[in-house]
Amino acid sequence: MMPQRKSAGTLAIELAISVSVFGLLAFFFAMSCVVANAARVNDTVCRDAARAAAQESNKQDARSAARSVVQTYDGVHLVAIAYENKGNDPSAAPYVQVTTSTDVKSPFALWMHTGMQGNRITFTQTYAFPIVNLARVDRADQPDPEDY
Amino acid sequence: MKQKTRTLQCSAPTKINRKQSGLTTILLVFALAFFVLLPIAAFGFELARMHLAYEELKVATDAAALAAGTTRANLAMTDPGNQERQAIAIGLYLFKKNAVFGRVLDRTTYGAYPGSGMEPGRAYLQFFFERQRVRAQSWLCVAPAFGLSLLPPQVISVNSAASGMPKLDIVIALDTSHSMTQETPVFVVKRFMDGGKLQHKIQMHAKLGSKRMNEKYATGWPYFPMDLGARGDVLFDADLRVQHKHLPEEGQPPGKDKGTADAFTDMVIDIPTSGSSYFAGIMDESAKAAVLVEAFRGNLENSAVFESSGAKTALAGIVEPRAGFQNEYLKIAQAHLPLFSDAVKEVVKFIDAVHESSDAHFGLTTFSGIASRKDFDHFRWFKVSPRVPGAGQIDVKLPYVDLSHNGDQYDAVHDALVDENGVPQFVPEQGTDTGGSVQAALEMLHDRSKSRDDAKRIVVLVTDGMPRRTDGDYFHNYPLALHPSSTDAATHAAYEAAKDARREGIPIFAVAFLHIWDRSEAREGRHVLNEMVRLAKHGSQYYESRDIPGLREDLGSVARQLVRLVN
């Protein structure tokens, strides 16, 4: 009986060690997937928000369009929006730049392309799109022409 | 013993094997985990990361292509000679504003990837300008996340991002109402016989739509453009107009007018006499108005007519009669209807720009008091007015070009709008049948034998004011008499057309050219067009300008709006 007990015990120890190693690896993989997915979602949201904002002709509408896109995703925040549109002048390179971020909690200190504070990884993405619908310069204040 | 020995023989190796295999298994597990699975996982992670970098670079490249495409479309209207250089500058600028892995691409060089020697974080961007699109290609060097030992830096290339206008079926609805001529400088010249000699007196020199002109000749100016096209006589003196019964025909001396004098008042376009004008050098500046009046009336075609008209009494020695004077005057005069002529030219530029940048098919409907249709592209109208039927009638053009499934109709639309010198081929009329024109455009776009299934269908409406169908007072014999004549009815028709556009899923790009000096009318026009855009939905847009540069910018913005990422 004793040899059998010893054998089973060894097996259990082997199994425990193997499982813990594979478990650790599996956990690492799972966390990597979560982290990668967070980066992907942040990227998608930032892109969609920038594209939506670029369809608008003023800063307020652009901000509201970007915000409405971002709000549809949990955990992604609109960090900044820059709206550069100097009238109806394409040579002024009118664009809207949107920055979004998302935080992921992780037990690992992963070296990635983002800043890390404690066990929290912050992904930040920035996209800029040309403003398609340029705002008109208001000419309403121009005086009426006089008689010839 | 035998059994024990057997047991020992059998069990001893078993014990030793278990111990060894347990250790080996653990070592194998660790080896497998750290030297096989972990590297595989890290490699997979790197691949996923590279894919993410590719996706992010693609978005940046798309943005750059879109920026270059929209800039090119814009500048095709406002600065065609500079469009590609500017498109590159702005596309590159936008590219650098984007980020991959949170880091902006500010270390980007314009040009093709040199093939080697690229350090991590560095990027290259290049554009290819083609007839109907702008392609962008980019390269980015990405360092691996787990250090350089596992993988060397990878160069990612995105070469599929492209920008250009999609397939478009565009119908241009162009307002040709007479209000487009109101900035035309004109002479009002009174001709009268004095002691057997024909004399000319300038009554006024002003812009046609100026307040001063309208106060003096309140209802006279609407006749002017039509009469220009008709090449008939012009009658403007407010007092004379009502009493006058027998207008002289071309080439005839002035007739008598009861109660006043042997007098007529003509209004002619003030043609510059400097530069390359036909009239430059042959016309004495002091007698300019007189020469223009007589040329317009046809009295300078030959010496016989000149003699009989009596014009020689005032112009003898100043100008030598010769055939072709009248045609030349009319040709130059049409080119000098500033707003109308320039607005038509801007529309032609827009068509040229869209034609160059996209796979576009064009249709055209023009409108004044009524919109042109397939079976209504001209009508007979009085040379002077319905009140003077004796002056005869002429055919008045209302250009119309049908959309075609098989051809782009670019040449047809171009030729319908301007001649080889860029001068409009038609003259302005009275009224603004905005609703009718949008309906005519929708009919073309609705007809699947004319429009393409996979094309984006749009209406570009260019107008300068309130919808207004012409009053039956002057147009009682005109087809418009069949239609409601009030502004309210015309506005209602415009709203109904906008609702039809919404049902068809066709956006209306309303370009308001509000040069009108009457602010209340401009305000009303703005309100109606904004309401049309609101009703039409589907991305409809309203643009407004007050001058030709503004109109050019607005049409450039419409072209810009049509640019989309192709893939």
Side-chain angles (χ1 to χ4, degrees):
Chain A
M1 291 302 286
M2 282 299 283
Q4 283 177 352
R5 276 180 193 156
K6 276 184 182 172
S7 169
T10 307
L11 194 65
I13 292 167
E14 290 166 9
L15 196 64
I17 292 171
S18 303
V19 165
S20 64
V21 170
F22 280 105
L24 199 63
L25 279 175
F27 184 70
F28 177 76
F29 295 155
M31 280 311 302
S32 299
C33 288
V34 169
V35 167
N37 189 53
R40 188 191 61 78
V41 169
N42 184 51
D43 180 73
T44 305
V45 174
C46 188
R47 182 197 63 202
D48 291 349
R51 284 188 171 177
Q55 302 295 318
E56 302 299 337
S57 57
N58 63 64
K59 189 171 185 177
Q60 285 73 25
D61 289 349
R63 181 178 291 278
S64 131
R67 189 168 285 148
S68 67
V69 170
V70 173
Q71 280 172 350
T72 56
Y73 293 86
D74 288 335
V76 182
H77 313 288
L78 182 63
V79 176
I81 177 166
Y83 190 90
E84 289 291 325
N85 184 5
K86 293 169 185 167
N88 198 26
D89 180 10
S91 62
Y95 72 92
V96 60
Q97 189 178 43
V98 174
T99 303
T100 61
S101 75
T102 189
D103 293 339
V104 186
K105 284 182 182 174
S106 165
F108 298 106
L110 291 173
W111 186 92
M112 289 190 68
H113 54 276
T114 58
M116 184 163 178
Q117 295 173 338
N119 65 341
R120 178 170 294 192
I121 305 169
T122 301
F123 289 98
T124 304
Q125 182 56 291
T126 300
Y127 281 131
F129 269 85
I131 295 167
V132 175
N133 181 17
L134 296 181
R136 289 284 310 149
V137 175
D138 185 14
R139 295 160 188 258
D141 294 334
Q142 289 184 356
D144 286 341
E146 293 301 318
D147 281 357
Y148 185 73
Chain B
M1 281 301 288
K2 264 187 177 179
Q3 195 178 355
K4 196 176 179 183
T5 306
R6 208 181 294 131
T7 307
L8 281 172
Q9 284 175 341
C10 294
S11 60
T14 309
K15 279 180 184 173
I16 290 166
N17 283 345
R18 273 187 190 153
K19 277 181 185 172
Q20 286 178 340
S21 76
L23 189 60
T24 308
T25 305
I26 291 168
L27 288 173
L28 274 174
V29 165
F30 273 90
L32 191 68
F34 288 103
F35 297 107
V36 180
L37 292 180
L38 202 58
I40 287 176
F43 186 71
F45 183 81
E46 292 290 4
L47 286 182
R49 194 163 166 273
M50 289 296 165
H51 180 72
L52 187 61
Y54 173 86
E55 291 296 322
E56 293 185 1
L57 184 63
K58 187 167 190 324
V59 175
T61 312
D62 282 352
L66 192 58
T70 51
T71 302
R72 188 170 78 148
N74 249 134
L75 296 182
M77 290 294 299
T78 55
D79 191 6
N82 206 20
Q83 52 180 320
E84 286 191 8
R85 195 176 62 79
Q86 276 281 40
I88 290 171
I90 290 173
L92 183 62
Y93 179 76
L94 249 290
F95 187 78
K96 289 180 176 180
K97 291 280 177 191
N98 282 279
V100 172
F101 293 154
R103 294 199 186 97
V104 290
L105 298 162
D106 53 357
R107 294 173 61 203
T108 303
T109 306
Y110 183 75
Y113 170 50
S116 62
M118 201 169 168
E119 61 196 73
R122 197 157 187 85
Y124 286 88
L125 175 70
Q126 190 171 27
F127 293 112
F128 302 91
F129 294 93
E130 297 166 0
R131 185 178 166 267
Q132 294 178 349
R133 64 174 57 187
V134 177
R135 276 197 310 113
Q137 186 168 8
S138 64
W139 297 264
L140 173 69
C141 186
V142 181
F146 293 109
L148 304 181
S149 56
L150 194 63
L151 280 175
Q154 297 294 304
V155 175
I156 302 167
S157 173
V158 175
N159 58 10
S160 60
S163 167
M165 294 182 188
K167 270 189 179 178
L168 298 169
D169 282 348
I170 303 178
V171 178
I172 311 283
L174 177 62
D175 182 354
T176 61
S177 60
H178 56 66
S179 52
M180 299 286 273
T181 66
Q182 65 181 8
E183 284 203 1
T184 306
V186 294
F187 287 111
V188 180
V189 183
K190 189 167 189 175
R191 305 190 319 152
F192 58 96
M193 300 301 290
D194 183 16
K197 291 185 176 181
L198 180 65
Q199 301 293 335
H200 298 83
K201 184 182 177 188
I202 298 177
Q203 303 282 78
M204 190 181 288
H205 186 207
K207 284 188 177 177
L208 190 57
S210 65
K211 289 173 187 169
R212 200 151 59 93
M213 183 70 80
N214 279 324
E215 282 167 8
K216 176 83 175 168
Y217 303 100
T219 57
W221 71 271
Y223 290 108
F224 165 73
M226 186 172 291
D227 290 331
L228 176 66
R231 304 184 183 188
D233 289 328
V234 186
L235 164 73
F236 277 111
D237 190 310
D239 299 325
L240 199 62
R241 182 172 55 77
V242 178
Q243 299 171 32
H244 196 66
K245 303 295 182 197
H246 306 289
L247 283 177
E249 292 302 318
E250 292 170 3
Q252 295 301 308
K256 290 183 179 179
D257 184 73
K258 289 177 185 174
T260 54
D262 292 344
F264 293 100
T265 304
D266 294 89
M267 185 177 285
V268 290
I269 294 179
D270 178 12
I271 294 174
T273 53
S274 59
S276 58
S277 166
Y278 182 87
F279 289 88
I282 62 166
M283 188 161 62
D284 188 314
E285 193 65 28
S286 63
K288 182 176 174 182
V291 173
L292 295 180
V293 165
E294 301 308 331
F296 170 48
R297 292 171 61 88
N299 290 337
L300 301 179
E301 288 300 294
N302 59 62
S303 295
V305 172
F306 186 51
E307 295 281 340
S308 65
S309 72
K312 74 181 182 75
T313 56
L315 297 173
I318 296 175
V319 59
E320 198 65 36
R322 64 183 182 194
F325 248 123
Q326 191 180 34
N327 279 339
E328 282 303 321
Y329 169 76
L330 291 167
K331 195 172 156 186
I332 297 169
Q334 276 192 304
H336 282 84
L337 295 172
L339 281 176
F340 177 71
S341 181
D342 291 348
V344 172
K345 286 176 189 169
E346 293 307 324
V347 170
V348 170
K349 273 191 198 170
F350 169 76
I351 291 167
D352 289 346
V354 174
H355 175 65
E356 182 60 26
S357 308
S358 71
D359 176 13
H361 284 194
F362 297 96
L364 172 71
T365 172
T366 50
F367 64 104
S368 49
I370 194 166
S372 62
R373 290 168 187 273
K374 190 170 187 177
D375 56 351
F376 187 75
D377 61 356
H378 69 279
F379 59 92
R380 296 283 294 171
W381 185 239
F382 301 97
K383 268 187 167 182
V384 176
S385 86
R387 290 187 173 182
V388 193
Q393 295 187 346
I394 53 151
D395 281 332
V396 178
K397 281 186 190 174
L398 265 179
Y400 175 90
V401 176
D402 227 344
L403 192 68
S404 169
H405 197 284
N406 301 318
D408 60 22
Q409 296 287 71
Y410 166 74
D411 290 335
V413 170
H414 204 278
D415 293 347
L417 289 174
V418 291
D419 65 13
E420 67 275 11
N421 298 314
V423 176
Q425 291 280 64
F426 50 100
V427 293
E429 307 294 340
Q430 191 170 4
T432 309
D433 185 14
T434 312
S437 108
V438 173
Q439 286 291 5
L442 292 177
E443 281 172 20
M444 280 189 242
L445 293 166
H446 174 76
D447 189 340
R448 289 299 178 184
S449 67
K450 297 176 183 171
S451 63
R452 295 168 293 175
D453 291 340
D454 53 349
K456 182 174 173 60
R457 300 176 298 162
I458 63 169
V459 175
V460 177
L461 170 66
V462 182
T463 181
D464 75 337
M466 278 288 291
R468 179 165 291 143
R469 281 174 171 164
T470 313
D471 195 298
D473 181 23
Y474 296 122
F475 289 78
H476 56 276
N477 290 327
Y478 189 48
L480 268 179
L482 301 172
H483 298 276
S485 61
S486 73
T487 298
D488 285 346
T491 302
H492 178 73
Y495 290 163
E496 288 303 310
K499 289 177 188 170
D500 287 347
R502 182 178 62 197
R503 280 189 281 272
E504 290 282 341
I506 297 171
I508 298 173
F509 289 87
V511 180
F513 183 38
L514 299 182
H515 59 91
I516 303 161
W517 293 352
D518 182 341
R519 285 203 171 207
S520 64
E521 179 158 350
R523 207 164 35 242
E524 289 169 15
R526 179 184 298 127
H527 171 76
V528 171
L529 292 169
N530 266 307
E531 185 64 10
M532 285 181 74
V533 162
R534 192 188 67 78
L535 289 170
K537 298 187 187 303
H538 300 295
S540 297
Q541 291 286 341
Y542 171 77
Y543 299 90
E544 179 181 318
S545 57
R546 290 190 177 188
D547 50 24
I548 290 296
L551 177 65
R552 187 179 306 138
E553 285 180 8
D554 284 348
L555 289 169
S557 292
V558 173
R560 178 188 185 89
Q561 274 262 56
L562 299 176
V563 176
R564 291 287 182 273
L565 289 171
V566 175
N567 53 1

